[in-house]
Amino acid sequence: MINPAEEFLSPRLKAVHDMAVDGLSDISSRRFVDVGSDHGHLSLYALINDGFRSAVLTDIHAAPAQRSKETLDLYGYGDKASVYTTDGLDGVVLCEGDVIVMAGLGGNNMIDIMTRVQKTLDEKLLKSLVWCLQPQKSSDKLRQFLFESGFEIVDENACEDRGFHYVMMKVKFTGVPTEYTLKQKYYGPVILRRIAAGEPEAMGYKERLDMRFELSKRGDEEIRRMLEEV
Ligand SMILES: C[S@@+](CC[C@H](N)C(=O)[O-])C[C@H]1O[C@@H](n2cnc3c(N)ncnc32)[C@H](O)[C@@H]1O
């Protein structure tokens, strides 16, 4: 068995984990909710290293959900974890202070999942949730949804893992939509501040995005306007 207290997570998942738990108060009363759990490593790591009360793992497919369950059982944490085969958080009763991580899913998928949650929860519960999102694609659309739907991006960063750049964001519901510029939509409001401060992860991410936008600006009027923004 590998020691989950040590080098167990990929650099990407470790960065997502670190952002999710950063600054959290009262972890022992919270649940760690991992949507798209696949192998279950992230929840296991959080249970062992952070002392969450329990974990909830969901996966839309039965095989990864089963894999998640086996991981938690193998390391003796089966009694602290509930595993669901479901789409997003459908059928999961969310609790005050839950820390919800969605890593490796597409941004549009995340929007659908969050929209359904937003429709069903009362505002007080919704405001108590902490979300940590690592979209595999469509981060711009995800940010637009967050800005317009009353979610605040409280933290955001990038990381590099095996030559790929990933973005992750920590989000809280405030109920107040945020006005945004196109640069904020495409690069991320906190990432832009990190770029201005010369932080290496953010600079690496910017370089990758600059190249992508340079290529796509011909066929995309919004990207052209974004690049012209001061
Ligand atoms: C690329 S894997 C990422 C696994 C892990 N979260 C990570 O970041 O390494 C995506 C996982 O999410 C699951 N998934 C995709 N869409 C989902 C949804 N709507 N609800 C729950 N699970 C989903 C897939 O079955 C797969 O196991």
Side-chain angles (χ1 to χ4, degrees):
M1 283 209 291
I2 312 164
N3 182 353
E6 290 168 5
E7 291 166 19
F8 187 64
L9 298 179
S10 64
R12 171 186 61 87
L13 269 184
K14 178 70 167 55
V16 171
H17 161 271
D18 291 351
M19 178 174 280
V21 301
D22 182 46
L24 281 184
S25 60
D26 209 9
I27 291 195
S28 61
S29 70
R30 293 179 188 263
R31 302 186 312 169
F32 189 83
V33 183
D34 183 7
V35 179
S37 58
D38 194 358
H39 33 61
H41 290 172
L42 184 58
S43 294
L44 177 65
Y45 186 90
L47 282 174
I48 292 178
N49 294 285
D50 308 314
F52 279 93
R53 172 159 66 89
S54 59
V56 176
L57 298 80
T58 85
D59 205 288
I60 197 165
H61 294 118
Q66 179 61 24
R67 251 196 319 273
S68 292
K69 183 164 170 29
E70 283 165 8
T71 301
L72 275 297
D73 286 344
L74 178 68
Y75 285 91
Y77 281 81
D79 59 338
K80 284 206 154 206
S82 312
V83 182
Y84 296 79
T85 303
T86 189
D87 184 349
L89 290 158
D90 292 357
V92 175
V93 178
L94 289 169
C95 295
E96 184 119 357
D98 277 351
V99 178
I100 304 168
V101 175
M102 296 199 271
L105 278 64
N108 287 323
N109 201 354
M110 292 182 185
I111 293 170
D112 290 343
I113 293 167
M114 294 178 83
T115 301
R116 292 201 298 277
V117 169
Q118 200 179 1
K119 277 187 190 147
T120 52
L121 290 195
D122 72 60
E123 188 160 313
K124 182 169 174 278
L125 180 52
L126 201 51
K127 282 183 173 168
S128 77
L129 305 176
V130 177
W131 300 82
C132 192
L133 313 173
Q134 183 266 301
Q136 212 63 349
K137 53 186 180 179
S138 312
S139 56
D140 46 355
K141 287 201 186 113
L142 177 60
R143 286 195 198 93
Q144 178 169 357
F145 162 78
L146 296 169
F147 291 139
E148 293 176 358
S149 307
F151 290 91
E152 184 190 357
I153 300 174
V154 294
D155 196 9
E156 189 177 31
N157 209 347
C159 78
E160 193 179 343
D161 189 349
R162 286 168 291 176
F164 292 98
H165 292 270
Y166 299 94
V167 66
M168 64 211 74
M169 43 191 104
K170 194 167 188 173
V171 164
K172 293 267 298 176
F173 181 73
T174 64
V176 183
T178 310
E179 292 207 3
Y180 60 96
T181 64
L182 288 176
K183 280 247 161 51
Q184 287 170 330
K185 170 179 167 179
Y186 282 94
Y187 285 85
V190 184
I191 298 268
L192 283 171
R193 293 203 290 273
R194 292 185 185 277
I195 291 168
E199 293 185 23
E201 294 87 359
M203 298 298 279
Y205 179 61
K206 176 184 182 299
E207 255 177 53
R208 199 205 66 170
L209 288 184
D210 285 348
M211 278 192 281
R212 203 175 90 201
F213 296 146
E214 206 43 47
L215 288 174
S216 54
K217 72 177 182 190
R218 271 174 164 270
D220 191 323
E221 199 266 329
E222 186 170 274
I223 290 191
R224 269 202 308 281
R225 276 195 289 126
M226 182 270 292
L227 292 173
E228 282 160 14
E229 258 180 16
V230 184

